[in-house]
Amino acid sequence: MSWINKKQAFDQYVKQVNWYFTFGVFFLFSILVGLGIAAVKLNTVIHDASALPIEAVAIKGERHFTSDKEIQTALENLMQRSFFSADVNQVQSALEALPWVYQASVRREWPSKLKVYLIEQKAVAHWNKTAWLNSQGDVFEAPKKDGMTALPQLTGPNDEAKEVLEAYQQVSKLLSINGFFLTDLSLNPRHAWHAVLDNGIKLELGREDKMARIQRFIDVFPKLAEKVKQVATVDLRYDTGLAVGWEDAHKRAVN
């Protein structure tokens, strides 16, 4: 083969390679463009509430104080999103912001439902007259609801709420097995304890040995009950004894 023929063959080969390369680049570009268009359309559909709406929210869990209306109001704006674009964390936060909701868990259920499980706050005491304590000793604020049982009144610094609740449970148990019932317990800023029984007797317990002082009151009370006068206050802030305030003397002091 002559040099001219070899050059012609080589030029033809180069042209063929260039054509394949150009076709390959064009084909790849077409695929990328198609994928891009598909991604845009998919993203549009995913975020289109009319195409993939949330059609139902299933609520489970025992509820006494959280109404369907409150839940509907809390989720109203979030339900305007599509099934995929709705943020379950935001839904959870919105539900847990409701006053009587302690915890919420949320998950999607294909094709158009959100499943929610709610745990309500379990109030075990009034706290500082305006709030509540739950069974974990956490302070929370919520409106009072009809049908709530009578709860003890506890008072103290917010950062010591758990300690006050634990003290109430201990003192109340000791008193109840001896026929007394505790309705109020407070811890003042100086860390002194003050208790009130359901019969109106007020107990000053001081800062130390409150359980021993409660036991001293239990031991002495039968003798106090023999008196004609009604016991109003019992000051137990002494190492061995106690001081008693009588009802009629208390009334004269008040008047």
Side-chain angles (χ1 to χ4, degrees):
M1 181 180 294
S2 67
W3 179 84
I4 295 176
N5 290 337
K6 286 182 179 181
K7 184 177 184 304
Q8 290 176 343
F10 177 76
D11 290 342
Q12 185 177 3
Y13 171 76
V14 169
K15 288 180 181 179
Q16 187 176 16
V17 169
N18 288 339
W19 185 86
Y20 282 135
F21 176 77
T22 302
F23 176 78
V25 170
F26 177 78
F27 181 73
L28 178 61
F29 178 76
S30 299
I31 292 177
L32 293 176
V33 170
L35 290 175
I37 294 173
V40 171
K41 289 185 177 180
L42 179 60
N43 184 68
T44 301
V45 171
I46 285 176
H47 290 83
D48 185 358
S50 62
L52 291 170
I54 299 172
E55 296 181 349
V57 178
I59 308 292
K60 291 189 176 182
E62 187 175 354
R63 285 186 288 144
H64 300 286
F65 307 129
T66 305
S67 68
D68 291 342
K69 179 64 176 177
E70 288 177 303
I71 294 173
Q72 182 180 354
T73 300
L75 300 183
E76 186 173 6
N77 291 331
L78 296 173
M79 293 303 98
Q80 303 304 315
R81 302 178 183 178
S82 74
F83 175 74
F84 287 107
S85 65
D87 189 330
V88 294
N89 291 324
Q90 288 185 347
V91 173
Q92 177 180 325
S93 297
L95 292 172
E96 290 181 348
L98 293 173
W100 279 101
V101 173
Y102 174 66
Q103 191 175 60
S105 60
V106 184
R107 65 182 180 87
R108 295 183 179 88
E109 185 176 271
W110 178 261
S112 58
K113 181 187 290 186
L114 292 183
K115 298 194 74 172
V116 176
Y117 187 83
L118 292 182
I119 300 175
E120 279 196 327
Q121 294 278 12
K122 184 179 180 181
V124 296
H126 294 280
W127 179 250
N128 288 339
K129 300 187 181 301
T130 59
W132 309 88
L133 283 185
N134 64 20
S135 54
Q136 288 76 35
D138 301 323
V139 179
F140 69 98
E141 295 186 1
K144 187 175 181 179
K145 297 287 188 175
D146 294 335
M148 295 184 67
T149 58
L151 295 174
Q153 297 280 352
L154 304 185
T155 306
N158 280 343
D159 59 351
E160 298 187 69
K162 188 173 183 179
E163 179 185 351
V164 176
L165 178 60
E166 290 175 349
Y168 167 79
Q169 293 168 339
Q170 294 170 354
V171 173
S172 180
K173 182 177 180 180
L174 179 58
L175 286 168
S176 64
I177 61 178
N178 288 279
F180 301 95
F181 297 94
L182 182 63
T183 61
D184 297 62
L185 183 67
S186 62
L187 178 66
N188 68 22
R190 298 180 63 186
H191 282 78
W193 295 94
H194 173 85
V196 180
L197 306 183
D198 67 332
N199 57 12
I201 296 176
K202 300 175 182 178
L203 306 179
E204 297 292 345
L205 302 174
R207 292 187 291 180
E208 300 176 355
D209 302 324
K210 61 181 177 295
M211 297 304 291
R213 291 172 178 177
I214 288 290
Q215 186 60 58
R216 189 192 310 161
F217 165 76
I218 293 170
D219 295 339
V220 173
F221 185 77
K223 296 180 180 179
L224 299 177
E226 294 175 357
K227 304 295 182 180
V228 176
K229 300 176 181 179
Q230 179 68 36
V231 177
T233 62
V234 180
D235 190 342
L236 297 150
R237 295 174 293 180
Y238 302 91
D239 292 336
T240 56
L242 51 83
V244 179
W246 304 99
E247 186 66 35
D248 58 348
H250 175 69
K251 288 180 178 178
R252 285 198 297 271
V254 172
N255 295 330

